[in-house]
């Protein structure tokens, strides 16, 4: 499920795209002829599944590439129409570009899976190499390479930070989830963790608890908005270097995110800086399995600095020309 009420709210076209069916839909903006005053006439909207080699796996993201960022309201509208958990808007030319991220309901400061998808699209359209995305959260380098004929992207997060989660926040989150303190793995204490966006990390003792996720959407959303959280990073540690994760995202109007790069980076930073793991080290995070959209996030945790999250992405629907926005010019962040 991607939206707050399961599949409800997604158009037939969105459902078909997620099912891998090509649907030819003529948007309203194509009903008129463009004029010389229109901006971003070369902008393209791509739809890629990140952290998977399979279009039916990983986390779908919209990737808008153009010369100038549209107005905020236009970006929000496009993200809502795309219907994926996030759409990234990348503007500029060359290796340094601006980027902003939108869920179907709100703008978010950073999104990992959309960044990976954007890196793959930039590699395919502009060439592999190092790109620097100037985001609301800070500068995020993205290295795009090929290995064995497969294109991969690796982002380096902003410097992470964390703080112990207040007992009241943990109690309220557990109540919204229908969980108890006895189900938590206290070897990884609850924490607020940041690597571009704030996440509440809750680790559970066994896989069965993570496999069963049904929560009070509005109650959890209100709690997260009050505390400035973007998602919950719910994890189970199978072994020292392998985690399984689920990621509620009601703040963005999304029941669950299938693969969450920002939360993976935040988790890596928290584990390192709290002394819960010895760096440098590589961990892997399996996510999306219980949703039927399996994905793999590779997280490299250095001694210091930003956390590196890498993966691949593949098209999950045909790319289209983005609608022109006659009054869309807006300063880049």
């Amino acid at each position: 499920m991607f939206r707050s009420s399961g599949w409800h709210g997604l158009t037939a076209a969105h459902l078909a795209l997620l099912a891998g069916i090509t649907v030819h839909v003529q948007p309203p903006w194509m009903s008129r002829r463009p004029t010389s005053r229109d901006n971003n006439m070369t902008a393209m909207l791509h739809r890629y599944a990140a952290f998977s080699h399979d279009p039916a796996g990983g986390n779908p993201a919209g990737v808008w590439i153009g010369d100038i960022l549209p107005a905020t309201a236009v970006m929000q509208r496009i993200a809502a129409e795309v219907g994926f958990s996030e759409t990234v808007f990348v503007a500029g030319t060359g290796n340094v570009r601006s980027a902003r991220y939108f869920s179907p309901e709100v703008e978010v400061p950073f999104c990992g899976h959309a960044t990976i998808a954007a890196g793959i699209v930039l590699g395919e359209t502009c060439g592999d190499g190092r790109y620097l995305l100037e985001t609301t959260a800070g500068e995020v380098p993205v290295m795009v390479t090929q290995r064995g004929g497969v294109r991969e992207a690796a982002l380096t997060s902003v410097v992470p930070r964390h703080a112990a989660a207040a007992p009241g926040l943990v109690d309220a989150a557990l109540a919204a989830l229908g969980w108890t303190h006895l189900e938590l793995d206290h070897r990884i204490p609850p924490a607020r963790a940041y690597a571009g966006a704030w996440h509440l990390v809750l680790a559970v003792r066994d896989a069965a608890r993570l496999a069963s996720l049904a929560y009070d959407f509005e109650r959890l959303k209100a709690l997260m908005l009050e505390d400035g959280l973007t998602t919950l990073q719910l994890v189970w540690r199978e072994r020292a270097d392998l985690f399984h994760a689920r990621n509620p995202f009601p703040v963005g109007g999304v029941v669950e995110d299938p693969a969450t790069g920002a939360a993976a980076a935040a988790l890596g930073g928290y584990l390192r800086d709290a002394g819960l793991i010895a760096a440098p080290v590589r961990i892997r995070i399996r996510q999306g399995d219980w949703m039927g959209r399996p994905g793999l996030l590779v997280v490299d945790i250095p001694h210091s600095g930003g956390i590196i999250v890498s993966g691949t992405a593949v098209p999950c629907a045909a790319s289209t020309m983005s609608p022109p926005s006659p009054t869309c010019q807006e300063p880049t962040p």
Side-chain angles (χ1 to χ4, degrees):
M1 292 183 292
F2 291 87
R3 298 301 302 276
S4 60
S5 52
W7 293 106
H8 178 71
L10 292 181
T11 67
H14 293 146
L15 293 173
L17 289 174
L18 290 173
I21 302 171
T22 301
V23 177
H24 298 283
V25 179
Q26 185 180 52
W29 57 268
M30 290 187 69
S31 62
R32 68 171 179 86
R33 296 179 65 86
T35 72
S36 59
R37 290 177 295 176
D38 289 333
N39 297 307
N40 284 324
M41 293 305 297
T42 59
M44 294 293 294
L45 181 61
H46 309 266
R47 294 170 173 84
Y48 273 57
F51 298 117
S52 176
H53 297 277
D54 183 353
N59 197 351
V63 180
W64 183 100
I65 306 286
D67 297 328
I68 303 171
L69 286 175
T72 298
V74 174
M75 290 189 281
Q76 186 63 76
R77 189 194 73 228
I78 293 173
E81 291 172 351
V82 169
F84 295 155
S85 57
E86 275 100 1
T87 294
V88 59
F89 295 81
V90 180
T93 59
N95 293 86
V96 180
R97 307 192 184 206
S98 57
R100 290 173 67 180
Y101 306 88
F102 288 78
S103 77
E105 292 190 5
V106 296
E107 182 175 6
V108 295
F110 177 64
C111 170
H113 84 274
T115 300
I116 294 298
I120 298 299
V121 171
L122 288 171
E124 292 176 348
T125 58
C126 302
D128 297 339
R130 184 181 185 272
Y131 292 88
L132 185 66
L133 299 185
E134 297 174 334
T135 77
T136 303
E139 294 183 342
V140 177
V142 181
M143 180 63 69
V144 185
T145 59
Q146 291 191 57
R147 181 173 58 180
V150 176
R151 184 169 275 108
E152 298 178 344
L155 67 86
T156 301
S157 76
V158 298
V159 175
R161 57 185 189 269
H162 76 278
L169 172 61
V170 176
D171 290 345
L174 291 177
L177 292 168
W179 293 8
T180 70
H181 282 275
L182 294 176
E183 294 172 304
L184 297 182
D185 181 354
H186 293 287
R187 296 173 299 174
I188 305 176
R192 298 177 78 255
Y194 175 89
W198 283 102
H199 310 267
L200 175 62
V201 178
L202 296 174
V204 296
R205 297 171 58 184
D206 60 68
R209 173 67 281 176
L210 200 61
S212 177
L213 180 63
Y215 66 90
D216 187 324
F217 186 91
E218 295 299 335
R219 184 177 182 181
L220 186 60
K221 179 179 181 179
L223 173 66
M224 293 170 66
L225 286 172
E226 181 180 357
D227 202 73
L229 298 169
T230 299
T231 76
L232 264 58
Q233 176 73 321
L234 310 176
V235 299
W236 169 61
R237 180 168 57 182
E238 180 177 348
R239 59 175 189 261
D241 62 348
L242 178 62
F243 288 74
H244 298 260
R246 300 192 75 168
N247 209 267
F249 184 29
V251 169
V254 176
V255 172
E256 183 176 1
D257 218 10
T260 317
L267 175 65
Y270 167 46
L271 294 174
R272 178 191 68 192
D273 297 341
L276 303 176
I277 199 167
V281 66
R282 168 176 287 185
I283 64 173
R284 289 174 171 81
I285 300 175
R286 301 284 320 177
Q287 190 176 341
D289 292 341
W290 286 293
M291 298 179 66
R293 297 196 65 93
L296 176 66
L297 299 84
V298 179
V299 183
D300 286 291
I301 306 172
H303 282 295
S304 61
I307 306 300
I308 302 165
V309 179
S310 58
T312 188
V314 293
C316 57
S319 300
T320 59
M321 181 182 290
S322 180
S325 304
T327 59
C328 71
Q329 292 193 33
E330 181 170 290
T332 57

